[in-house]
Amino acid sequence: MKRNFVYLLVFALLVISAAEWIGFQTISIGSITISLLPLVFAILITMVLGMKFLRFGFMKKIYSKENVGFASKYLIFIMLPLMARYGADVAPELKEILHVGWVFVIQELGNLGTVLIGLPIALWLGLRREAIGATLGIGREGELAYISEKYTLESKEGRGVLSLYIIGTLFGALFFSIFAPILLDLGFRPEALAMAAGVGSSSMMTGASSTLVARLPEMENTILSYAAASQLLTSFLGTFTMIFLAAPLQQFMYKVIVRGDR
């Protein structure tokens, strides 16, 4: 295990160095400018190097089952300092955040979007009980815990939420890093986009808010504080929204759609 940890540490340092060397890049598509942070390149590098045909020698040791299990299990320790930073970002803008506090609460209803939109599409694509786990939320820790407790991860619902968790981990931050600046160019207010970034995933929120800050450095404090406040609120209120609103609504819609499909 000690040797595996050393391999992981060396690999992490190499990926970080490569991503920082590439640096912040922008791609212009018409009137839209897409901002790509070093975080995005770090994700892409690890994804590419993790492909099966490239896993030999040193790479095979890095992507061993032991290392992958170790990294997944202890990822939360990397996120803890980030969560502490979010709290520090909220404090300077607390008065302004409280002034629009009701907006933060209302936006929590957006958590129902995965059920209202995602469930019908998942069932249309042919999923059944897997759709319960895949569309309850964005497949982060809250949904993972709820599904695992109610159905177990070996169930069809468990496979659904695990699939979404893995997809979100691989592509979530990348998608948010690209999508946020596109919406900014389409005319959305940066405050609204910063609030929308707090979806309950630290990596996704960081990807979205960081690209917004890169585009609007003069609004850095506002963007980071709004995103952090939204993230903290989603982590708290989102759990109750999921249990008391999303889950019952999902069960009702599932029974209606599946019965109608018969």
Side-chain angles (χ1 to χ4, degrees):
M1 176 58 74
K2 185 176 180 181
R3 180 176 294 180
N4 287 339
F5 177 75
V6 173
Y7 285 144
L8 270 177
L9 184 60
V10 171
F11 180 69
L13 291 174
L14 289 174
V15 170
I16 292 171
S17 300
E20 288 295 332
W21 177 75
I22 296 173
F24 179 83
Q25 301 292 329
T26 59
I27 301 175
S28 296
I29 304 176
S31 60
I32 297 175
T33 301
I34 299 174
S35 304
L36 300 177
L37 293 169
L39 170 66
V40 174
F41 295 110
I43 295 172
L44 289 174
I45 291 170
T46 53
M47 286 173 57
V48 171
L49 293 178
M51 292 180 178
K52 193 172 183 179
F53 70 90
L54 291 177
R55 275 187 264 158
F56 56 88
F58 181 67
M59 285 297 106
K60 188 174 182 180
K61 295 178 181 179
I62 291 297
Y63 287 94
S64 65
K65 289 184 178 180
E66 293 81 7
N67 276 347
V68 172
F70 176 84
S72 301
K73 185 177 180 180
Y74 294 102
L75 180 64
I76 184 63
F77 291 105
I78 299 174
M79 294 300 180
L80 288 177
L82 188 61
M83 293 302 294
R85 167 66 189 274
Y86 294 158
D89 288 334
V90 171
E93 306 293 328
L94 188 58
K95 184 176 179 181
E96 185 178 355
I97 290 171
L98 291 175
H99 180 67
V100 294
W102 65 273
V103 179
F104 285 97
V105 176
I106 293 296
Q107 77 152 4
E108 290 308 310
L109 295 177
N111 290 331
L112 301 178
T114 55
V115 175
L116 293 171
I117 300 174
L119 181 62
I121 293 176
L123 294 175
W124 177 72
L125 290 173
L127 298 179
R128 282 299 179 258
R129 297 303 299 180
E130 295 87 354
I132 297 294
T135 64
L136 184 58
I138 62 169
R140 294 299 90 197
E141 285 73 13
E143 290 81 20
L144 192 66
Y146 179 84
I147 294 295
S148 64
E149 286 294 322
K150 187 170 183 178
Y151 301 102
T152 76
L153 292 180
E154 286 73 32
S155 64
K156 292 182 178 179
E157 293 85 353
R159 288 199 292 271
V161 73
L162 273 176
S163 298
L164 198 67
Y165 184 83
I166 293 170
I167 291 172
T169 300
L170 292 176
F171 299 106
L174 180 62
F175 174 81
F176 271 62
S177 298
I178 296 173
F179 197 53
I182 290 177
L183 292 179
L184 184 65
D185 286 330
L186 290 176
F188 285 80
R189 290 176 60 88
E191 295 90 345
L193 293 176
M195 291 170 61
V199 294
S201 167
S202 299
S203 58
M204 296 179 195
M205 188 275 281
T206 302
S209 59
S210 298
T211 51
L212 291 174
V213 169
R215 291 284 300 278
L216 301 169
E218 70 279 4
M219 294 186 65
E220 179 177 1
N221 290 337
T222 300
I223 291 172
L224 292 180
S225 60
Y226 272 51
S230 178
Q231 174 76 5
L232 293 172
L233 197 60
T234 298
S235 300
F236 176 67
L237 290 182
T239 302
F240 295 97
T241 304
M242 173 185 67
I243 294 173
F244 296 111
L245 292 178
L249 176 63
Q250 185 187 57
Q251 291 294 333
F252 172 76
M253 289 179 60
Y254 182 86
K255 292 177 181 178
V256 171
I257 296 174
V258 172
R259 187 180 299 141
D261 190 45
R262 293 175 184 174

